[in-house]
Amino acid sequence: MAETSFYPSITPVKSSDVPSKQTLIDVMIPLLVESESWPAGRTYKEEHHGSTFEVSTFSRQKQAGDGAMWHGRASDHSKESTGGWDSFWQGIGVNHTAHEQEYFVELDQVKKLKVLNTDQEIWTTHYALRAPAGDRIFTVLVTTHVVTHPENGLRTGYVMTVPIDVSSEVELVQQEFRGTRGSYAAIEHVKELPDGGVNWRMITTSTPGTFGTHIVSASSITECVLCFRWLYSPVYRGETDARKDQGGRCRVYGVVGQAARGSRRLKFCHYHILTSSSIL
């Protein structure tokens, strides 16, 4: 792929023209940095397992090359509450897609389609969502990258995800799950802080694959942090492996404040499914 042709969006890249890790780094990390100046949304204060943290939200309107708006959120998490960078990166950056299945109820199937190199893999995922949403599949290129600051030794891990079209590779198509095809691009970082805590920042642009409306609310994007409440649990930090039995999984789709708001929505847990008022 030509270095100047790649831009992360809801339009899948071709598996025959995969952007290199360096191209993703050169394009996507500056976009994450740019998000620090995006218009701010609401800030949410949450408490889990006795620890309190704030989630700030922000967004950017569609620009040239975008298929949908970009939305983001950021939060700081103390070492005492989460175990620090190593524990956090183990959950977010190591086997990123496989770990998601441990925490989302509707994410019932994940499959690694292809390993491109030590830092890039192609995955397909299947979400069994309740009516009227219908099942969704996402096939993505996941790229990870870790850098260590040369002066202070602090680490930052990046997960860069872009939709990928594997239609030119019959053996991969045969392994994909069946359902309505959604699409998303995202980049997140897990940044080690001087006090041992971490800053977790993520931006995403996405579409559920149908209905034509791409709406993500500030409260719904915050769910992607709240769904990782297992980070605050002794379960995650090695005291037991029974994570799924400890109430740590989240529901991607559900009724949220129906009595108060008179509406339903798709919860935006992590960054796959987005609120779409046109279907509810």
Side-chain angles (χ1 to χ4, degrees), residues 1 42 80 91 101 165 172 253 274:
M1 171 172 287
R42 294 182 60 185
E80 292 73 23
Q101 190 176 19
D165 176 3
L172 299 188
Y253 176 72
L274 45 127

Side-chain angles (χ1 to χ4, degrees), residues 136-278:
R136 290 290 188 276
I137 69 165
F138 298 84
T139 300
V140 293
L141 169 69
V142 180
T143 302
T144 57
H145 177 58
V146 177
V147 295
T148 301
H149 194 283
E151 296 181 3
N152 57 32
L154 297 177
R155 296 159 292 179
T156 301
Y158 297 92
V159 180
M160 297 166 282
T161 307
V162 295
I164 188 167
D165 176 3
V166 298
S167 60
S168 64
E169 301 185 50
V170 177
E171 66 278 11
L172 299 188
V173 173
Q174 293 174 341
Q175 296 182 64
E176 282 189 294
F177 300 121
R178 298 295 177 261
T180 300
R181 188 179 301 277
S183 178
Y184 75 94
I187 177 171
E188 56 193 303
H189 77 205
V190 175
K191 183 177 182 179
E192 189 174 18
L193 302 177
D195 63 2
V198 297
N199 172 264
W200 186 19
R201 187 178 192 89
M202 181 274 291
I203 59 173
T204 184
T205 180
S206 51
T207 174
T210 55
F211 311 109
T213 299
H214 317 296
I215 304 173
V216 182
S217 68
S219 58
S220 62
I221 201 169
T222 304
E223 294 289 345
C224 80
V225 177
L226 305 188
C227 281
F228 280 81
R229 58 185 179 272
W230 46 268
L231 286 166
Y232 286 79
S233 171
V235 172
Y236 177 72
R237 293 162 65 176
E239 296 183 16
T240 174
D241 290 330
R243 301 180 195 170
K244 291 183 181 180
D245 298 327
Q246 303 298 317
R249 300 179 82 199
C250 289
R251 187 168 297 281
V252 176
Y253 176 72
V255 178
V256 182
Q258 186 171 12
R261 300 181 182 89
S263 63
R264 292 178 296 174
R265 72 180 182 193
L266 292 176
K267 280 188 179 180
F268 191 86
C269 290
H270 208 26
Y271 40 66
H272 299 319
I273 313 300
L274 45 127
T275 302
S276 182
S277 59
S278 64

Side-chain angles (χ1 to χ4, degrees), residues 24-228:
L24 291 165
I25 291 171
D26 292 343
V27 176
M28 297 188 76
I29 291 180
L31 188 61
L32 186 65
V33 173
E34 177 198 308
S35 72
E36 296 176 7
S37 62
W38 290 357
R42 294 182 60 185
T43 297
Y44 299 84
K45 189 173 184 178
E46 301 296 337
E47 182 173 350
H48 291 287
H49 296 283
S51 297
T52 301
F53 62 92
E54 291 186 346
V55 184
S56 60
T57 63
F58 39 89
S59 62
R60 190 190 77 178
Q61 294 295 325
K62 286 176 60 175
Q63 298 183 5
D66 292 332
M69 286 183 62
W70 283 87
H71 294 265
R73 52 97 188 121
S75 52
D76 289 342
H77 305 266
S78 68
K79 182 177 182 179
E80 292 73 23
S81 60
T82 65
W85 189 91
D86 290 288
S87 294
F88 217 106
W89 184 247
Q90 183 67 31
I92 302 300
V94 179
N95 291 325
H96 174 82
T97 307
H99 279 166
E100 289 181 325
Q101 190 176 19
E102 298 185 42
Y103 311 112
F104 299 123
V105 174
E106 288 88 350
L107 179 51
D108 60 346
Q109 298 180 81
V110 302
K111 185 186 298 182
K112 186 190 299 181
L113 296 181
K114 190 174 185 178
V115 176
L116 303 180
N117 52 60
T118 56
D119 298 315
Q120 291 186 297
E121 300 173 341
I122 298 174
W123 287 77
T124 184
T125 61
H126 179 274
Y127 286 79
L129 304 182
R130 293 181 290 178
D135 292 358
R136 290 290 188 276
I137 69 165
F138 298 84
T139 300
V140 293
L141 169 69
V142 180
T143 302
T144 57
H145 177 58
V146 177
V147 295
T148 301
H149 194 283
E151 296 181 3
N152 57 32
L154 297 177
R155 296 159 292 179
T156 301
Y158 297 92
V159 180
M160 297 166 282
T161 307
V162 295
I164 188 167
D165 176 3
V166 298
S167 60
S168 64
E169 301 185 50
V170 177
E171 66 278 11
L172 299 188
V173 173
Q174 293 174 341
Q175 296 182 64
E176 282 189 294
F177 300 121
R178 298 295 177 261
T180 300
R181 188 179 301 277
S183 178
Y184 75 94
I187 177 171
E188 56 193 303
H189 77 205
V190 175
K191 183 177 182 179
E192 189 174 18
L193 302 177
D195 63 2
V198 297
N199 172 264
W200 186 19
R201 187 178 192 89
M202 181 274 291
I203 59 173
T204 184
T205 180
S206 51
T207 174
T210 55
F211 311 109
T213 299
H214 317 296
I215 304 173
V216 182
S217 68
S219 58
S220 62
I221 201 169
T222 304
E223 294 289 345
C224 80
V225 177
L226 305 188
C227 281
F228 280 81

